[in-house]
Amino acid sequence: WKMGEGRSLAETPTWSVATVTTVLVGICFIVERSIHHFGEWLLRTKRKPLLAALTKIKEELMLLGLISLLLAQSARWISNICVKSSVYNSKFYPCSAHDFDSQKKPTQNDTSISRNYIAHYGSHFSHGRQLAILNHCSKGHEPFVSFETLEQLHRFLFILGVTHVLYCCLTMLLALIKIYSWRPWEIEAHSRLIVPENVVMRRQSTFVIHHTAHPWSKNGVLVWVLCFVRQFSRSVTKADYRALRLGFITNHRLRLTYDFHSYMVRTMEDEFRDIVGISWPLWGYAVVCVLFNLHGLNFYFWISFIPAILILFVGTKLQHVMAKLALDNAATDAAAGTQLKPHDELFWFGKPQLLLWLIQFISFQNAFEMAAFLWSW
């Protein structure tokens, strides 16, 4: 055993290798079994959309695991690729030249000192660390990507995967808390199985008045300002829920005992299936963020405002959908018994799916920013 190389597997006590292997396998087994049992519970309770979402999360973890495996196995080979030093004479650096003053290229004397240092304290360095310190490329050449860079990239991708999965779960949890806060309204609606026609119209009128009473609601431009302000108060009121419930039941010719709240929960689960996972456009966006994280641009600082701006746009649009629905109903003859009729044309380009894609992007952007913060920290 040489001091500068560290112990090989054959020179390491079997009990230490067995201990590490047991711990790693045990942790992975617990996580895998927990996900498996959770999936079986979703299958027993017939929550197929959530089961599909869980499958997408497992696919994301598998993809990140594959990337991690490829980085671990190919890092040494990639770091051995040498290119001319002139290739690095560009401005594509996240830090300025001043930040590298204390990390100048080693001279011949510095290299000799480094070799003696590693030879003396080699047991404290992994083989990859030694490759990072010693420049194995010929004069005028440098590694295309150093071993240290690949190691840091490995950590960043791991943190990104963990934070994104946690953000998806947090989104689901907040959505459940919000929707189940409306459950008492559904119970109250079921307490009156027979609703007179005048009560139905009164509930519809309450919804219409609430969204059309303000003078700005009838102006095509000012109504957006009004909707922007309204999103900071209670997003869905009791009158909104009752009016939408009656409109849905009437349009689909369902019984008044229909559980509209359970339908909303199932719909939310369907939408959650669409916002989890990292699609290839999001991976492309992540690569673009890494590419343009240049010194002086403060790129990560400026893109951190994107989620806040988009979430305000989404909240304003959802309020505008409610206002437009009320305005359309107010424009008809209320005495004719016209009910609320939600339709896709109320959304941008007639595609409600666009809002779900924006929510998915916001979740990924937040996870990316948090991962970059934790990794830098």
Side-chain angles (χ1 to χ4, degrees):
W1 167 59
K2 295 182 180 179
M3 193 67 163
E5 296 179 357
R7 293 180 181 271
S8 65
L9 181 62
E11 298 165 330
T12 304
T14 55
W15 61 265
S16 60
V17 177
T19 301
V20 172
T21 304
T22 302
V23 172
L24 292 177
V25 172
I27 294 175
C28 293
F29 183 80
I30 291 174
V31 173
E32 190 275 333
R33 287 289 91 188
S34 300
I35 295 176
H36 177 74
H37 289 305
F38 182 58
E40 288 186 335
W41 178 79
L42 293 177
L43 188 61
R44 287 197 306 269
T45 55
K46 298 181 180 180
R47 297 175 179 267
K48 294 183 179 180
L50 286 183
L51 183 60
L54 181 64
T55 302
K56 292 181 69 174
I57 291 177
K58 289 194 293 184
E59 291 175 354
E60 178 181 342
L61 294 176
M62 184 180 68
L63 177 61
L64 290 170
L66 180 60
I67 294 175
S68 176
L69 179 63
L70 290 176
L71 276 175
Q73 296 301 317
S74 61
R76 185 176 302 179
W77 175 79
I78 296 175
S79 62
N80 285 332
I81 301 176
C82 298
V83 296
K84 292 183 178 180
S85 299
S86 58
V87 174
Y88 293 97
N89 294 331
S90 65
K91 298 183 181 296
F92 282 84
Y93 289 99
C95 302
S96 64
H98 176 73
D99 298 326
F100 297 106
D101 286 344
S102 60
Q103 300 178 6
K104 296 182 295 184
K105 295 180 181 179
T107 61
Q108 185 67 29
N109 187 42
D110 295 333
T111 303
S112 177
I113 294 175
S114 298
R115 291 182 184 277
N116 293 333
Y117 181 80
I118 294 175
H120 188 267
Y121 296 101
S123 60
H124 300 285
F125 289 87
S126 66
H127 185 59
R129 293 286 186 179
Q130 297 174 35
L131 289 176
I133 294 177
L134 299 178
N135 188 357
H136 57 273
C137 297
S138 60
K139 184 178 180 180
H141 291 74
E142 297 182 30
F144 179 66
V145 181
S146 68
F147 190 92
E148 177 66 19
T149 300
L150 294 172
E151 186 178 354
Q152 293 182 11
L153 178 62
H154 194 174
R155 295 174 189 155
F156 174 74
L157 291 176
F158 171 78
I159 297 175
L160 175 61
V162 172
T163 52
H164 185 254
V165 170
L166 292 178
Y167 264 96
C168 289
C169 295
L170 179 62
T171 302
M172 179 66 176
L173 178 61
L174 293 177
L176 285 173
I177 293 175
K178 185 67 175 179
I179 289 183
Y180 275 97
S181 67
W182 305 335
R183 186 64 188 176
W185 300 341
E186 183 70 25
I187 296 175
E188 182 179 347
H190 278 258
S191 63
R192 299 178 179 181
L193 298 181
I194 301 177
V195 181
E197 183 68 19
N198 62 331
V199 176
V200 173
M201 295 308 303
R202 194 183 312 124
R203 291 178 180 177
Q204 298 280 64
S205 301
T206 304
F207 169 79
V208 173
I209 293 173
H210 173 72
H211 287 279
T212 60
H214 200 282
W216 289 6
S217 61
K218 297 177 177 61
N219 186 287
V221 177
L222 295 180
V223 66
W224 287 96
V225 180
L226 183 63
C227 292
F228 176 82
V229 176
R230 281 177 174 173
Q231 68 176 313
F232 297 104
S233 60
R234 192 177 183 88
S235 57
V236 178
T237 64
K238 187 176 182 179
D240 296 340
Y241 183 87
R242 286 183 171 184
L244 291 173
R245 180 181 183 274
L246 287 173
F248 180 86
I249 290 176
T250 303
N251 292 330
H252 293 275
R253 299 179 181 180
L254 302 171
R255 294 181 299 176
L256 292 176
T257 55
Y258 180 77
D259 194 344
F260 180 66
H261 185 268
S262 297
Y263 167 77
M264 295 192 67
V265 172
R266 294 194 302 269
T267 303
M268 184 271 299
E269 293 175 354
D270 287 333
E271 293 173 349
F272 180 70
R273 176 191 58 193
D274 296 331
I275 66 174
V276 299
I278 304 178
S279 59
W280 68 264
L282 293 179
W283 279 115
Y285 171 77
V287 173
V288 171
C289 290
V290 173
L291 178 63
F292 289 99
N293 181 31
L294 308 179
H295 173 72
L297 293 181
N298 296 321
F299 189 73
Y300 284 178
F301 172 77
W302 293 114
I303 65 174
S304 64
F305 291 98
I306 294 179
I309 295 174
L310 288 180
I311 203 66
L312 291 177
F313 269 118
V314 171
T316 303
K317 180 57 181 176
L318 292 176
Q319 286 291 333
H320 185 263
V321 168
M322 302 284 284
K324 189 68 169 60
L325 193 62
L327 287 170
D328 291 344
N329 186 266
T332 59
D333 186 5
T338 303
Q339 302 293 330
L340 299 178
K341 295 182 179 181
H343 49 89
D344 291 349
E345 285 69 24
L346 294 172
F347 298 87
W348 285 313
F349 308 107
K351 295 182 177 180
Q353 189 71 20
L354 182 60
L355 289 181
L356 295 179
W357 187 87
L358 288 176
I359 295 174
Q360 183 188 30
F361 175 79
I362 291 169
S363 177
F364 176 78
Q365 174 64 26
N366 284 332
F368 185 86
E369 287 289 323
M370 181 59 68
F373 170 74
L374 294 175
W375 173 78
S376 300
W377 187 30

